[in-house]
Amino acid sequence: MRFSRSSRVARGGLWASALLSIVAAVNSGGALAADVDPTYTPPLSLNGTASLMWRAGDDERVIRLTDGGYRQAGSAWSTEMVDLTRSFETTFTAHLRSGRRGADGIAFVAQGEGPRALGGWGGGLGYRGIHRSVAVEFDIYQNSPDPSRNHLGVSINGNPDRYESAAESSIPLYGKPFKARIRYDGGDRRLTVHVRALTAGATEELLLDQPVDLARRAGVASGWVGFTGATGSLTARQDVYEWTVGAPQA
Ligand SMILES: [Ca+2]
């Protein structure tokens, strides 16, 4: 196993000033062998069906929010709190799949309820009921309020039945891994969400640009950030990896 130097920064809590790789590994070809730390544990609080896995054939840790069972809900929060009044950027790769049609999706969530927060399954995406929160959904199942079974949306108050804004995804969220980049501008109080397919030549696209005050909605100046995911009468394995949080990149 191999972890980047920035992974170790996580222990020091240099959250706002340095890029923090929570479950990211560096494809170093051995150059960072000195950084291998088999005892390293990502600073995560896992709830419900969420677990930490090894990515097959690779050195990376994976947050598995749901593992293919029905009516599951899982959450994974960084145990290091984030200043929600300041600008930050988070990036991750997600892979939601099963052998057939699946459900329900995942959300990146900033919340003020704590490291044990876990919401409802199914269309609740694991965040329904986490009231002091802002969720960015990656939703693969069309419930009645949903525009499609391949959309993104921003929801507040732990309510997945109402979107502040929603957008059809330009790439498949289900079946193939994709990258997401979410930036919060603490000055303008605005969230922007980009996605990109992993296929060669794919370009990043801006899908959501939503005014929202994270600290106000979370009810705290410093809160928890992480992921929730759920399944229902359809299921999927839903993984997040290469997760980083840090100061916005230029
Ligand atoms: Ca849905």
Side-chain angles (χ1 to χ4, degrees):
M1 62 190 86
R2 192 178 296 137
F3 292 99
S4 66
R5 192 167 267 118
S6 51
S7 297
R8 293 183 162 191
V9 171
R11 291 180 178 173
L14 301 177
W15 187 277
S17 58
L19 184 69
L20 172 61
S21 300
I22 296 173
V23 288
V26 172
N27 187 12
S28 62
L32 286 175
D35 276 346
V36 170
D37 180 356
T39 66
Y40 175 74
T41 302
L44 294 171
S45 174
L46 303 170
N47 306 285
T49 53
S51 62
L52 265 182
M53 313 283 293
W54 293 104
R55 196 168 156 213
D58 212 329
D59 294 338
E60 284 173 71
R61 293 249 171 131
V62 172
I63 300 170
R64 179 153 290 169
L65 293 162
T66 64
D67 66 8
Y70 298 100
R71 298 187 177 189
Q72 295 186 323
S75 66
W77 309 111
S78 170
T79 53
E80 300 202 25
M81 297 170 79
V82 174
D83 186 344
L84 299 178
T85 68
R86 294 179 59 178
S87 300
F88 66 89
E89 184 170 278
T90 186
T91 63
F92 57 92
T93 306
H95 193 187
L96 322 179
R97 79 276 192 199
S98 73
R100 60 190 86 178
R101 252 193 83 194
D104 274 275
I106 65 168
F108 173 80
V109 180
Q111 50 95 0
E113 299 201 359
R116 310 312 300 184
L118 177 63
W121 55 270
L125 290 191
Y127 76 86
R128 182 194 294 279
I130 304 176
H131 296 293
R132 295 197 302 276
S133 70
V134 175
V136 178
E137 285 194 355
F138 301 83
D139 191 325
I140 58 171
Y141 182 84
Q142 187 171 12
N143 302 92
S144 53
D146 293 344
S148 77
R149 59 172 168 162
N150 190 51
H151 68 277
L152 279 71
V154 175
S155 294
I156 59 174
N157 302 331
N159 179 9
D161 298 331
R162 183 174 177 279
Y163 295 110
E164 299 301 295
S165 60
E168 183 73 14
S169 179
S170 55
I171 58 170
L173 301 176
Y174 185 66
K176 294 190 160 93
F178 65 90
K179 286 189 176 292
R181 181 167 66 90
I182 300 171
R183 178 185 290 218
Y184 181 61
D185 185 322
D188 287 348
R189 295 177 193 145
R190 186 169 212 95
L191 269 179
T192 52
V193 183
H194 292 78
V195 297
R196 177 167 71 80
L198 293 188
T199 46
T203 55
E204 186 181 75
E205 295 192 53
L206 173 66
L207 292 188
L208 292 172
D209 183 349
Q210 174 63 44
V212 63
D213 187 333
L214 286 194
R216 178 167 155 247
R217 293 298 175 186
V220 289
S222 286
W224 291 267
V225 299
F227 298 91
T228 67
T231 67
S233 54
L234 295 176
T235 188
R237 274 184 294 160
Q238 302 184 111
D239 293 345
V240 170
Y241 47 96
E242 297 171 333
W243 180 26
T244 69
V245 183
Q249 303 300 294

